[in-house]
PDB file of all heavy atoms in Angstrom:
ATOM      1  N   THR B  47     -15.154  -2.545 -26.776  1.00 98.00           N
ATOM      2  CA  THR B  47     -16.406  -1.859 -26.509  1.00 98.00           C
ATOM      3  C   THR B  47     -17.553  -2.841 -26.681  1.00 98.00           C
ATOM      4  O   THR B  47     -17.718  -3.432 -27.752  1.00 98.00           O
ATOM      5  CB  THR B  47     -16.602  -0.651 -27.443  1.00 98.00           C
ATOM      6  OG1 THR B  47     -15.553   0.301 -27.215  1.00 98.00           O
ATOM      7  CG2 THR B  47     -17.949   0.014 -27.177  1.00 98.00           C
ATOM      8  N   LEU B  48     -18.303  -3.037 -25.611  1.00 98.00           N
ATOM      9  CA  LEU B  48     -19.476  -3.902 -25.643  1.00 98.00           C
ATOM     10  C   LEU B  48     -20.703  -3.073 -26.006  1.00 98.00           C
ATOM     11  O   LEU B  48     -20.829  -1.926 -25.578  1.00 98.00           O
ATOM     12  CB  LEU B  48     -19.691  -4.563 -24.286  1.00 98.00           C
ATOM     13  CG  LEU B  48     -18.496  -5.329 -23.702  1.00 98.00           C
ATOM     14  CD1 LEU B  48     -18.904  -6.021 -22.401  1.00 98.00           C
ATOM     15  CD2 LEU B  48     -17.936  -6.323 -24.696  1.00 98.00           C
ATOM     16  N   SER B  49     -21.590  -3.686 -26.779  1.00 98.00           N
ATOM     17  CA  SER B  49     -22.848  -3.036 -27.149  1.00 98.00           C
ATOM     18  C   SER B  49     -24.009  -3.857 -26.606  1.00 98.00           C
ATOM     19  O   SER B  49     -23.925  -5.087 -26.510  1.00 98.00           O
ATOM     20  CB  SER B  49     -22.972  -2.945 -28.678  1.00 98.00           C
ATOM     21  OG  SER B  49     -21.932  -2.178 -29.219  1.00 98.00           O
ATOM     22  N   CYS B  50     -25.084  -3.178 -26.288  1.00 98.00           N
ATOM     23  CA  CYS B  50     -26.316  -3.808 -25.827  1.00 98.00           C
ATOM     24  C   CYS B  50     -27.453  -3.205 -26.640  1.00 98.00           C
ATOM     25  O   CYS B  50     -27.893  -2.077 -26.373  1.00 98.00           O
ATOM     26  CB  CYS B  50     -26.515  -3.556 -24.336  1.00 98.00           C
ATOM     27  SG  CYS B  50     -28.122  -4.057 -23.687  1.00 98.00           S
ATOM     28  N   ALA B  51     -27.891  -3.931 -27.665  1.00 98.00           N
ATOM     29  CA  ALA B  51     -28.957  -3.443 -28.544  1.00 98.00           C
ATOM     30  C   ALA B  51     -30.303  -3.763 -27.920  1.00 98.00           C
ATOM     31  O   ALA B  51     -30.595  -4.922 -27.604  1.00 98.00           O
ATOM     32  CB  ALA B  51     -28.837  -4.089 -29.911  1.00 98.00           C
ATOM     33  N   ALA B  52     -31.111  -2.722 -27.742  1.00 97.00           N
ATOM     34  CA  ALA B  52     -32.426  -2.888 -27.134  1.00 97.00           C
ATOM     35  C   ALA B  52     -33.512  -2.878 -28.209  1.00 97.00           C
ATOM     36  O   ALA B  52     -33.417  -2.133 -29.193  1.00 97.00           O
ATOM     37  CB  ALA B  52     -32.680  -1.765 -26.142  1.00 97.00           C
ATOM     38  N   SER B  53     -34.525  -3.687 -28.013  1.00 96.00           N
ATOM     39  CA  SER B  53     -35.680  -3.672 -28.902  1.00 96.00           C
ATOM     40  C   SER B  53     -36.947  -3.859 -28.094  1.00 96.00           C
ATOM     41  O   SER B  53     -36.910  -4.435 -27.003  1.00 96.00           O
ATOM     42  CB  SER B  53     -35.568  -4.748 -29.985  1.00 96.00           C
ATOM     43  OG  SER B  53     -35.441  -6.020 -29.415  1.00 96.00           O
ATOM     44  N   GLY B  54     -38.056  -3.326 -28.640  1.00 96.00           N
ATOM     45  CA  GLY B  54     -39.330  -3.434 -27.947  1.00 96.00           C
ATOM     46  C   GLY B  54     -39.610  -2.283 -26.991  1.00 96.00           C
ATOM     47  O   GLY B  54     -40.679  -2.235 -26.387  1.00 96.00           O
ATOM     48  N   PHE B  55     -38.651  -1.380 -26.860  1.00 96.00           N
ATOM     49  CA  PHE B  55     -38.814  -0.218 -25.970  1.00 96.00           C
ATOM     50  C   PHE B  55     -37.708   0.775 -26.305  1.00 96.00           C
ATOM     51  O   PHE B  55     -36.767   0.451 -27.039  1.00 96.00           O
ATOM     52  CB  PHE B  55     -38.728  -0.639 -24.498  1.00 96.00           C
ATOM     53  CG  PHE B  55     -37.360  -1.112 -24.093  1.00 96.00           C
ATOM     54  CD1 PHE B  55     -36.470  -0.259 -23.459  1.00 96.00           C
ATOM     55  CD2 PHE B  55     -36.944  -2.410 -24.367  1.00 96.00           C
ATOM     56  CE1 PHE B  55     -35.195  -0.684 -23.104  1.00 96.00           C
ATOM     57  CE2 PHE B  55     -35.669  -2.847 -24.018  1.00 96.00           C
ATOM     58  CZ  PHE B  55     -34.797  -1.980 -23.391  1.00 96.00           C
ATOM     59  N   SER B  56     -37.819   1.987 -25.749  1.00 96.00           N
ATOM     60  CA  SER B  56     -36.804   3.011 -25.969  1.00 96.00           C
ATOM     61  C   SER B  56     -35.873   3.102 -24.764  1.00 96.00           C
ATOM     62  O   SER B  56     -36.323   3.154 -23.620  1.00 96.00           O
ATOM     63  CB  SER B  56     -37.470   4.373 -26.188  1.00 96.00           C
ATOM     64  OG  SER B  56     -36.497   5.399 -26.186  1.00 96.00           O
ATOM     65  N   VAL B  57     -34.565   3.151 -25.024  1.00 96.00           N
ATOM     66  CA  VAL B  57     -33.597   3.236 -23.922  1.00 96.00           C
ATOM     67  C   VAL B  57     -33.705   4.555 -23.178  1.00 96.00           C
ATOM     68  O   VAL B  57     -33.152   4.715 -22.088  1.00 96.00           O
ATOM     69  CB  VAL B  57     -32.148   3.022 -24.419  1.00 96.00           C
ATOM     70  CG1 VAL B  57     -32.006   1.654 -25.066  1.00 96.00           C
ATOM     71  CG2 VAL B  57     -31.718   4.136 -25.360  1.00 96.00           C
ATOM     72  N   ASN B  58     -34.405   5.528 -23.778  1.00 93.00           N
ATOM     73  CA  ASN B  58     -34.586   6.849 -23.154  1.00 93.00           C
ATOM     74  C   ASN B  58     -35.229   6.777 -21.776  1.00 93.00           C
ATOM     75  O   ASN B  58     -35.034   7.669 -20.950  1.00 93.00           O
ATOM     76  CB  ASN B  58     -35.510   7.727 -24.003  1.00 93.00           C
ATOM     77  CG  ASN B  58     -34.822   8.286 -25.213  1.00 93.00           C
ATOM     78  OD1 ASN B  58     -33.635   8.095 -25.398  1.00 93.00           O
ATOM     79  ND2 ASN B  58     -35.567   8.968 -26.047  1.00 93.00           N
ATOM     80  N   PHE B  59     -36.020   5.734 -21.539  1.00 94.00           N
ATOM     81  CA  PHE B  59     -36.912   5.748 -20.389  1.00 94.00           C
ATOM     82  C   PHE B  59     -36.501   4.812 -19.263  1.00 94.00           C
ATOM     83  O   PHE B  59     -37.267   4.602 -18.313  1.00 94.00           O
ATOM     84  CB  PHE B  59     -38.333   5.404 -20.846  1.00 94.00           C
ATOM     85  CG  PHE B  59     -38.872   6.340 -21.889  1.00 94.00           C
ATOM     86  CD1 PHE B  59     -39.239   5.875 -23.139  1.00 94.00           C
ATOM     87  CD2 PHE B  59     -38.967   7.695 -21.638  1.00 94.00           C
ATOM     88  CE1 PHE B  59     -39.713   6.734 -24.119  1.00 94.00           C
ATOM     89  CE2 PHE B  59     -39.442   8.570 -22.594  1.00 94.00           C
ATOM     90  CZ  PHE B  59     -39.818   8.090 -23.841  1.00 94.00           C
ATOM     91  N   TYR B  60     -35.292   4.263 -19.352  1.00 96.00           N
ATOM     92  CA  TYR B  60     -34.901   3.273 -18.349  1.00 96.00           C
ATOM     93  C   TYR B  60     -33.425   3.443 -17.970  1.00 96.00           C
ATOM     94  O   TYR B  60     -32.616   3.930 -18.753  1.00 96.00           O
ATOM     95  CB  TYR B  60     -35.109   1.859 -18.880  1.00 96.00           C
ATOM     96  CG  TYR B  60     -36.548   1.560 -19.188  1.00 96.00           C
ATOM     97  CD1 TYR B  60     -37.052   1.749 -20.472  1.00 96.00           C
ATOM     98  CD2 TYR B  60     -37.414   1.117 -18.189  1.00 96.00           C
ATOM     99  CE1 TYR B  60     -38.386   1.503 -20.750  1.00 96.00           C
ATOM    100  CE2 TYR B  60     -38.746   0.862 -18.463  1.00 96.00           C
ATOM    101  CZ  TYR B  60     -39.230   1.066 -19.745  1.00 96.00           C
ATOM    102  OH  TYR B  60     -40.544   0.835 -20.022  1.00 96.00           O
ATOM    103  N   SER B  61     -33.111   2.988 -16.755  1.00 96.00           N
ATOM    104  CA  SER B  61     -31.721   2.857 -16.337  1.00 96.00           C
ATOM    105  C   SER B  61     -31.217   1.481 -16.750  1.00 96.00           C
ATOM    106  O   SER B  61     -31.984   0.526 -16.814  1.00 96.00           O
ATOM    107  CB  SER B  61     -31.599   3.003 -14.818  1.00 96.00           C
ATOM    108  OG  SER B  61     -32.001   4.287 -14.395  1.00 96.00           O
ATOM    109  N   PHE B  62     -29.916   1.409 -16.998  1.00 97.00           N
ATOM    110  CA  PHE B  62     -29.279   0.157 -17.413  1.00 97.00           C
ATOM    111  C   PHE B  62     -28.041  -0.114 -16.563  1.00 97.00           C
ATOM    112  O   PHE B  62     -27.298   0.813 -16.215  1.00 97.00           O
ATOM    113  CB  PHE B  62     -28.863   0.216 -18.888  1.00 97.00           C
ATOM    114  CG  PHE B  62     -30.012   0.224 -19.837  1.00 97.00           C
ATOM    115  CD1 PHE B  62     -30.670   1.407 -20.144  1.00 97.00           C
ATOM    116  CD2 PHE B  62     -30.468  -0.960 -20.406  1.00 97.00           C
ATOM    117  CE1 PHE B  62     -31.749   1.413 -21.016  1.00 97.00           C
ATOM    118  CE2 PHE B  62     -31.541  -0.963 -21.282  1.00 97.00           C
ATOM    119  CZ  PHE B  62     -32.186   0.219 -21.584  1.00 97.00           C
ATOM    120  N   HIS B  63     -27.843  -1.392 -16.267  1.00 97.00           N
ATOM    121  CA  HIS B  63     -26.642  -1.835 -15.572  1.00 97.00           C
ATOM    122  C   HIS B  63     -25.883  -2.815 -16.453  1.00 97.00           C
ATOM    123  O   HIS B  63     -26.485  -3.533 -17.264  1.00 97.00           O
ATOM    124  CB  HIS B  63     -26.981  -2.580 -14.276  1.00 97.00           C
ATOM    125  CG  HIS B  63     -27.718  -1.789 -13.250  1.00 97.00           C
ATOM    126  ND1 HIS B  63     -27.096  -1.236 -12.139  1.00 97.00           N
ATOM    127  CD2 HIS B  63     -29.032  -1.472 -13.145  1.00 97.00           C
ATOM    128  CE1 HIS B  63     -27.992  -0.623 -11.396  1.00 97.00           C
ATOM    129  NE2 HIS B  63     -29.180  -0.735 -11.980  1.00 97.00           N
ATOM    130  N   TRP B  64     -24.569  -2.890 -16.250  1.00 98.00           N
ATOM    131  CA  TRP B  64     -23.759  -4.002 -16.727  1.00 98.00           C
ATOM    132  C   TRP B  64     -23.360  -4.827 -15.499  1.00 98.00           C
ATOM    133  O   TRP B  64     -22.899  -4.270 -14.489  1.00 98.00           O
ATOM    134  CB  TRP B  64     -22.523  -3.532 -17.469  1.00 98.00           C
ATOM    135  CG  TRP B  64     -22.796  -2.992 -18.846  1.00 98.00           C
ATOM    136  CD1 TRP B  64     -23.007  -1.687 -19.200  1.00 98.00           C
ATOM    137  CD2 TRP B  64     -22.873  -3.752 -20.058  1.00 98.00           C
ATOM    138  NE1 TRP B  64     -23.220  -1.585 -20.556  1.00 98.00           N
ATOM    139  CE2 TRP B  64     -23.146  -2.838 -21.110  1.00 98.00           C
ATOM    140  CE3 TRP B  64     -22.728  -5.099 -20.394  1.00 98.00           C
ATOM    141  CZ2 TRP B  64     -23.279  -3.233 -22.451  1.00 98.00           C
ATOM    142  CZ3 TRP B  64     -22.860  -5.494 -21.708  1.00 98.00           C
ATOM    143  CH2 TRP B  64     -23.131  -4.574 -22.722  1.00 98.00           C
ATOM    144  N   VAL B  65     -23.560  -6.119 -15.615  1.00 98.00           N
ATOM    145  CA  VAL B  65     -23.207  -7.075 -14.561  1.00 98.00           C
ATOM    146  C   VAL B  65     -22.341  -8.153 -15.209  1.00 98.00           C
ATOM    147  O   VAL B  65     -22.634  -8.580 -16.328  1.00 98.00           O
ATOM    148  CB  VAL B  65     -24.478  -7.707 -13.953  1.00 98.00           C
ATOM    149  CG1 VAL B  65     -24.118  -8.796 -12.944  1.00 98.00           C
ATOM    150  CG2 VAL B  65     -25.353  -6.628 -13.296  1.00 98.00           C
ATOM    151  N   ARG B  66     -21.280  -8.574 -14.529  1.00 98.00           N
ATOM    152  CA  ARG B  66     -20.411  -9.594 -15.121  1.00 98.00           C
ATOM    153  C   ARG B  66     -20.321 -10.821 -14.230  1.00 98.00           C
ATOM    154  O   ARG B  66     -20.607 -10.765 -13.023  1.00 98.00           O
ATOM    155  CB  ARG B  66     -19.019  -9.031 -15.406  1.00 98.00           C
ATOM    156  CG  ARG B  66     -18.212  -8.638 -14.174  1.00 98.00           C
ATOM    157  CD  ARG B  66     -16.909  -7.961 -14.607  1.00 98.00           C
ATOM    158  NE  ARG B  66     -16.105  -7.542 -13.464  1.00 98.00           N
ATOM    159  CZ  ARG B  66     -14.972  -6.865 -13.551  1.00 98.00           C
ATOM    160  NH1 ARG B  66     -14.478  -6.519 -14.744  1.00 98.00           N
ATOM    161  NH2 ARG B  66     -14.307  -6.531 -12.447  1.00 98.00           N
ATOM    162  N   GLN B  67     -19.902 -11.916 -14.855  1.00 98.00           N
ATOM    163  CA  GLN B  67     -19.780 -13.191 -14.144  1.00 98.00           C
ATOM    164  C   GLN B  67     -18.569 -13.936 -14.688  1.00 98.00           C
ATOM    165  O   GLN B  67     -18.580 -14.387 -15.839  1.00 98.00           O
ATOM    166  CB  GLN B  67     -21.060 -14.029 -14.317  1.00 98.00           C
ATOM    167  CG  GLN B  67     -21.088 -15.288 -13.493  1.00 98.00           C
ATOM    168  CD  GLN B  67     -22.469 -15.944 -13.514  1.00 98.00           C
ATOM    169  OE1 GLN B  67     -23.185 -15.894 -14.509  1.00 98.00           O
ATOM    170  NE2 GLN B  67     -22.853 -16.544 -12.392  1.00 98.00           N
ATOM    171  N   ALA B  68     -17.530 -14.023 -13.882  1.00 97.00           N
ATOM    172  CA  ALA B  68     -16.352 -14.789 -14.272  1.00 97.00           C
ATOM    173  C   ALA B  68     -16.717 -16.270 -14.329  1.00 97.00           C
ATOM    174  O   ALA B  68     -17.642 -16.711 -13.631  1.00 97.00           O
ATOM    175  CB  ALA B  68     -15.225 -14.551 -13.280  1.00 97.00           C
ATOM    176  N   PRO B  69     -16.016 -17.052 -15.133  1.00 95.00           N
ATOM    177  CA  PRO B  69     -16.354 -18.482 -15.284  1.00 95.00           C
ATOM    178  C   PRO B  69     -16.405 -19.197 -13.944  1.00 95.00           C
ATOM    179  O   PRO B  69     -15.449 -19.146 -13.162  1.00 95.00           O
ATOM    180  CB  PRO B  69     -15.216 -19.010 -16.161  1.00 95.00           C
ATOM    181  CG  PRO B  69     -14.770 -17.828 -16.952  1.00 95.00           C
ATOM    182  CD  PRO B  69     -14.910 -16.654 -16.035  1.00 95.00           C
ATOM    183  N   GLY B  70     -17.548 -19.820 -13.650  1.00 95.00           N
ATOM    184  CA  GLY B  70     -17.708 -20.573 -12.411  1.00 95.00           C
ATOM    185  C   GLY B  70     -17.859 -19.726 -11.167  1.00 95.00           C
ATOM    186  O   GLY B  70     -17.864 -20.268 -10.053  1.00 95.00           O
ATOM    187  N   LYS B  71     -17.990 -18.409 -11.326  1.00 96.00           N
ATOM    188  CA  LYS B  71     -18.075 -17.512 -10.185  1.00 96.00           C
ATOM    189  C   LYS B  71     -19.450 -16.841 -10.101  1.00 96.00           C
ATOM    190  O   LYS B  71     -20.336 -17.110 -10.903  1.00 96.00           O
ATOM    191  CB  LYS B  71     -16.981 -16.430 -10.282  1.00 96.00           C
ATOM    192  CG  LYS B  71     -15.571 -16.989 -10.362  1.00 96.00           C
ATOM    193  CD  LYS B  71     -15.189 -17.746  -9.108  1.00 96.00           C
ATOM    194  CE  LYS B  71     -13.741 -18.203  -9.164  1.00 96.00           C
ATOM    195  NZ  LYS B  71     -13.355 -18.990  -7.942  1.00 96.00           N
TER     196      LYS B  71
END
Side-chain angles (χ1 to χ4, degrees):
Chain B
T47 298
L48 306 184
S49 299
C50 171
S53 58
F55 68 97
S56 171
V57 300
N58 283 356
F59 302 119
Y60 298 93
S61 297
F62 291 84
H63 299 259
W64 286 94
V65 175
R66 66 186 179 184
Q67 187 170 34
K71 302 296 184 182

